[in-house]
Amino acid sequence: MEERVLIIGGGIAGLSLAWRLAPSLPVVVVEAEESLAYHSSSRSARQMQPNYGPGPIQELTRRSISAVAGIASALGAPILQPRPMLTLGTKAEVAQLVAANANLVPLDHAETMRRSPDLWPGVFEAAALDDTAMEVNVPALVEYYRSQAVAAGAVVLTGSAVDSATAHPDGGYEVVVGEHRITAGTVVNAAGAWADGVAGIFGVRCRGLVPHRRSVAIVSTKIPTDPAGPMVEPVDESFYYRPDGGHLLVSACESVPAEAGDAQVVDAEIATVIRRIDAVTTLGVSGVERSWTGLRTQTADGLPVVGFDEEVPNFFWLAGQGGYGIQTSAALGTLAAGMIVGELPAEDAGLAAELSPQRAGLQQAGEVPAGQVAG
Ligand SMILES: Cc1cc2nc3c(=O)[nH]c(=O)nc-3n(C[C@H](O)[C@H](O)[C@H](O)COP(=O)(O)OP(=O)(O)OC[C@H]3O[C@@H](n4cnc5c(N)ncnc54)[C@H](O)[C@@H]3O)c2cc1C
């Protein structure tokens, strides 16, 4: 059977897998858009927060931070920088958060004000601090994954959408990509918001992957922001903000089911977050520099879908990263490459089972319970 692995999707998921796989197998990455990482992967808040998300996500994030720190030192470039995370709440809410997560440190009101002097003192009682949270230079990380994959022999094709495919009797595929036909022994579905649709092209049962839109804006403020200030979010996740290049990056944290596509900004969401920021900080939002909207594609149980499909041979899932696709990319690329090459470390078998496309808890589209949203 053909050795070649065809990765569909040139976002951070597909490229991080190409980085880890290309030294072992022939790899082709196809991306529908003319540029890589055009969709979700260029529209994130660029955070890596080890205390964020369910257990498997936290584990993948810790591994990814360590890998990206290694990449930063290999590059000699500061692509990872500390960005502590402050979660505001009542004393009871903070106590509950800290009890559930050993790495969170409780801060009283005075210490929270010292860490974040721009807050109105009356809007919170206490905070939980994650001092290990990081901000990452996503364009630099994506370019690292791409260039390392290409250096190891991978071929990366942009403007190349997978339209249709035929299964071969030997277990591989002939895939139609525009005017080209690419044969591959293994196909990887790293198509982000389109992942269930791409599964359909291969006759694979979809896994209930639902894109949800979320908007971000860069706003200017009347009072200058502290470039080293923390990321701040309330316990109810109704907004977040952090310094960004002399401005403030803000989001109303909306999570609204949407169609796969080129997500467009909803002005009302930006107006909402500005009202919320002005209600909790003394900074005074004075204008919107730019804004964007992206899609976080998630499953019913909030975990990614990673692994071979047991019903259709040689079809591999790498999708459903929700709000965690940046912070888990290095570790998920490594885990997925291990599964494809057949060299998954024994200690990762449990983690792989939790992400399996065969697991219970994955539902069909339209059955995602309200409230089950990734960050
Ligand atoms: C506002 C916002 C804030 C976020 N903040 C964070 C954060 O701080 N930290 C974090 O970890 N995550 C964050 N995320 C989530 C993160 O951005 C995503 O999880 C991640 O980018 C998903 O990567 P991906 O490669 O799966 O998807 P994408 O980047 O969307 O890539 C999938 C690609 O597949 C291509 N494709 C689709 N169909 C085909 C086809 N038929 N043929 C060829 N190509 C195809 C698409 O064109 C697309 O480029 C955020 C997301 C949003 C929207």
Side-chain angles (χ1 to χ4, degrees), residues 6-10 14 28-30 162 175 187-192 198 202 315:
L6 177 68
I7 300 175
I8 303 172
V28 177
V29 179
V30 286
V162 168
V175 181
V187 163
V188 177
N189 182 1
V198 163
F202 290 83
F315 185 90

Side-chain angles (χ1 to χ4, degrees), residues 8-14 30-33 35-48 160-163 190-194 198 201 212-216 231 240 251 292-297 318-328 375:
I8 303 172
I12 199 161
V30 286
E31 166 52 50
E33 301 290 351
S35 53
L36 296 169
Y38 174 80
H39 289 289
S40 302
S41 298
S42 61
R43 306 183 192 202
S44 81
R46 307 189 302 276
Q47 294 297 122
M48 300 183 80
S160 301
V162 168
D163 298 319
W194 291 263
V198 163
I201 293 176
H212 287 68
R213 72 166 158 80
R214 174 165 293 186
S215 305
V216 169
M231 181 146 178
Y240 58 64
S251 173
W292 64 87
T293 296
L295 299 174
R296 298 171 314 124
T297 298
L318 181 58
Q321 291 87 339
Y324 319 114
I326 307 299
Q327 67 181 40
T328 57

Side-chain angles (χ1 to χ4, degrees), residues 241-262:
Y241 67 88
R242 69 159 164 82
D244 190 283
H247 298 294
L248 209 58
L249 180 148
V250 302
S251 173
C253 296
E254 82 274 19
S255 188
V256 181
E259 294 293 318
D262 195 356

